[in-house]
Amino acid sequence: MSRVPGWLGRIGARLTEVGERLEERRAEAEKEDAETGPPAPETEPPPADHQAPVAVPVRPDPAQAVPWGVRVAAEAGWRLLVLAGTVWVLMRVISAVQLVVLAFATALLITALLQPTVARLRRWGLPRGPATALTAILGFVIMGLIGWFVTWQVMENIDDLSDQIQDGIDELRKWLLNSPFHVTDKQINQIAKNLREAIGANTDQITSAGLEGVTVVVEALTGILLTIFSTLFLLYDGRRIWEWTLKLVPAAARPGVAGAGPRAWRTLTAYVRGTVIVALIDAIFIGLGIYFLDVPMAVPLAVFIFLFAFIPLVGAVASGALAVVVALVTQGVFTAVMTLAVVLAVQQIEGHILQPFILGRAVRVHPLAVVLSVTAGGMIAGIGGAVVAVPLVAVTNTVVGYLRAYSQEQARRLAAAQAQARPAEPAAETSAS
């Protein structure tokens, strides 16, 4: 009986040992499964009628899909639109206050002409107020006398001129009848009839234009008064007005604008002074030429040539054509041809000798820019706009050139300062260590 329990005990011990080994192996298997992850589930093969999903391509960013040239053109386009809108609004504002703008621009031109006289009087010891008053009075008196002289000459010679014009028309008619152009008396009468009918058909417009002349006179007087007051204040307090204007400029751009202002003023002064000298020479020599050719109203025509010279290119052509027409209808074809030769000779001397010598490089503007600016100024503001256009372009050219040079100089100084600061940084680090 004592041998059976021992045997059973050995079997139980063996079973216990086997169970422990199984537990160890199960624990090792679970550990391996945890490290390698669960086995992939078995998937059934898809049915025959099942379609695989189509891969959707990834769409790029729309901005990246647009070609580089188109993107650059679009960026430049909307900026140009903003700039054009700004210019359009500015032109609308200028058109609304056209009288004030033209009066102030005229005052600037007159101030540029008279300001050197004020400066000379102050250097001689005269105070600012009396120097300004004396210069302004003399300047406006001279301008008034010129206007009165022209009006007096025209009124004194208007009767003789009308008779000479009638005689000139008769002579021109005889010349056309005997000319090789085969003009008949019937054609001349038809042209005169058409002119009379055109004048009769436009009687209402001529009458309304005469009635509107009152408004024009009132606006002219207002513009003259504004010009006088603006000129007085610019002559007396121009520097303080400029300093106040600089305060409206952002601080970052103020040094560049402060340097461009005096250069722009020197350009304007040189332009006005040179134009006055050139116009005076044109008026004197053309006036002498038509005086010796016995053309009526030579002195008023010379004054008109002087005034029209302030409109570059166009003014010279208009004043020369006026002198030729007066010579043609009063003295005949030969005198008109000689007048044309005198006008062309003086204008050639002006264009090739006087303007380059007197105006110089300070106000040199390309002829294409002159023509375009005069045309645009005339379309916007009439004769006043044509007068102001060229000095505005000259001043703008000077300002833009100076600001470009100023920005390049600032960039060069900044680069030099950075280059000098770089070698000092390692030395500072080594000394600190």
Side-chain angles (χ1 to χ4, degrees):
M1 292 296 292
S2 60
R3 295 180 180 177
V4 175
W7 178 75
L8 289 174
R10 288 194 294 271
I11 293 176
R14 183 64 60 85
L15 290 174
T16 302
E17 184 179 356
V18 171
E20 290 177 354
R21 291 179 179 176
L22 290 175
E23 289 293 337
E24 291 178 358
R25 291 181 180 178
R26 188 180 296 111
E28 292 177 358
E30 291 178 356
K31 186 176 180 181
E32 292 178 358
D33 292 339
E35 293 177 356
T36 59
E42 296 182 0
T43 57
E44 297 180 358
D49 57 349
H50 179 73
Q51 296 181 356
V54 179
V56 179
V58 179
R59 294 182 178 181
D61 186 11
Q64 299 296 330
V66 179
W68 174 254
V70 178
R71 293 171 63 185
V72 172
E75 292 287 337
W78 73 260
R79 287 176 171 83
L80 288 176
L81 288 177
V82 172
L83 181 61
T86 304
V87 173
W88 183 82
V89 172
L90 183 61
M91 290 296 102
R92 297 289 293 181
V93 172
I94 292 176
S95 299
V97 291
Q98 178 178 340
L99 180 63
V100 178
V101 173
L102 288 180
F104 185 74
T106 306
L108 280 176
L109 295 177
I110 297 175
T111 304
L113 179 62
L114 300 180
Q115 193 270 337
T117 304
V118 176
R120 187 175 295 109
L121 291 176
R122 293 198 62 192
R123 285 196 300 268
W124 290 349
L126 201 63
R128 181 191 302 174
T132 301
L134 182 61
T135 304
I137 291 172
L138 289 177
F140 287 114
V141 165
I142 291 173
M143 294 177 191
L145 288 176
I146 291 174
W148 171 81
F149 180 75
V150 172
T151 305
W152 173 63
Q153 285 289 315
V154 172
M155 296 302 296
E156 284 290 326
N157 296 282
I158 190 67
D159 295 332
D160 296 337
L161 182 63
S162 61
D163 295 338
Q164 291 179 354
I165 288 175
Q166 185 63 41
D167 295 338
I169 291 174
D170 294 338
E171 292 180 2
L172 181 62
R173 180 174 181 175
K174 294 178 182 179
W175 182 80
L176 289 174
L177 291 174
N178 298 324
S179 67
F181 298 108
H182 304 291
V183 179
T184 62
D185 194 12
K186 183 179 179 180
Q187 292 175 341
I188 295 176
N189 293 331
Q190 184 65 35
I191 293 173
K193 181 181 178 181
N194 292 335
L195 290 175
R196 287 194 298 269
E197 291 177 353
I199 294 173
N202 296 320
T203 303
D204 296 335
Q205 296 181 1
I206 295 173
T207 304
S208 62
L211 294 176
E212 291 177 356
V214 179
T215 304
V216 173
V217 170
V218 174
E219 291 182 353
L221 292 176
T222 305
I224 291 172
L225 291 177
L226 285 175
T227 302
I228 293 174
F229 280 109
S230 300
T231 303
L232 288 175
F233 283 108
L234 288 173
L235 286 174
Y236 180 76
D237 219 7
R239 182 177 296 276
R240 292 184 181 179
I241 294 174
W242 169 245
E243 292 175 354
W244 177 83
T245 306
L246 281 179
K247 295 179 182 178
L248 303 178
V249 181
R254 194 171 299 166
V257 176
R263 288 167 175 80
W265 182 251
R266 285 196 293 269
T267 299
L268 183 62
T269 303
Y271 173 83
V272 175
R273 190 182 306 171
T275 303
V276 168
I277 296 174
V278 172
L280 189 60
I281 293 174
D282 285 352
I284 291 174
F285 283 96
I286 295 178
L288 289 175
I290 61 180
Y291 175 78
F292 286 114
L293 290 172
D294 202 16
V295 177
M297 294 198 308
V299 177
L301 286 175
V303 175
F304 279 116
I305 291 170
F306 173 79
L307 296 177
F308 275 87
F310 285 89
I311 306 176
L313 298 181
V314 179
V317 174
S319 60
L322 179 62
V324 172
V325 169
V326 173
L328 177 64
V329 298
T330 57
Q331 300 297 325
V333 179
F334 176 77
T335 306
V337 172
M338 296 302 296
T339 303
L340 179 62
V342 171
V343 170
L344 292 178
V346 174
Q347 289 181 356
Q348 289 297 316
I349 295 173
E350 170 203 338
H352 293 87
I353 298 176
L354 296 179
Q355 285 191 353
F357 179 74
I358 296 175
L359 295 179
R361 295 182 176 271
V363 291
R364 182 171 294 179
V365 181
H366 196 275
L368 179 60
V370 172
V371 173
L372 294 178
S373 60
V374 169
T375 305
M379 294 175 63
I380 295 173
I383 297 177
V387 173
V388 175
V390 176
L392 179 61
V393 172
V395 169
T396 303
N397 185 28
T398 300
V399 171
V400 171
Y402 172 78
L403 292 179
R404 185 187 301 114
Y406 177 79
S407 62
Q408 293 175 355
E409 181 65 22
Q410 291 296 109
R412 186 161 48 250
R413 290 181 180 178
L414 181 60
Q418 292 178 352
Q420 291 178 358
R422 285 170 187 167
E425 292 178 356
E429 293 177 358
T430 54
S431 62
S433 61

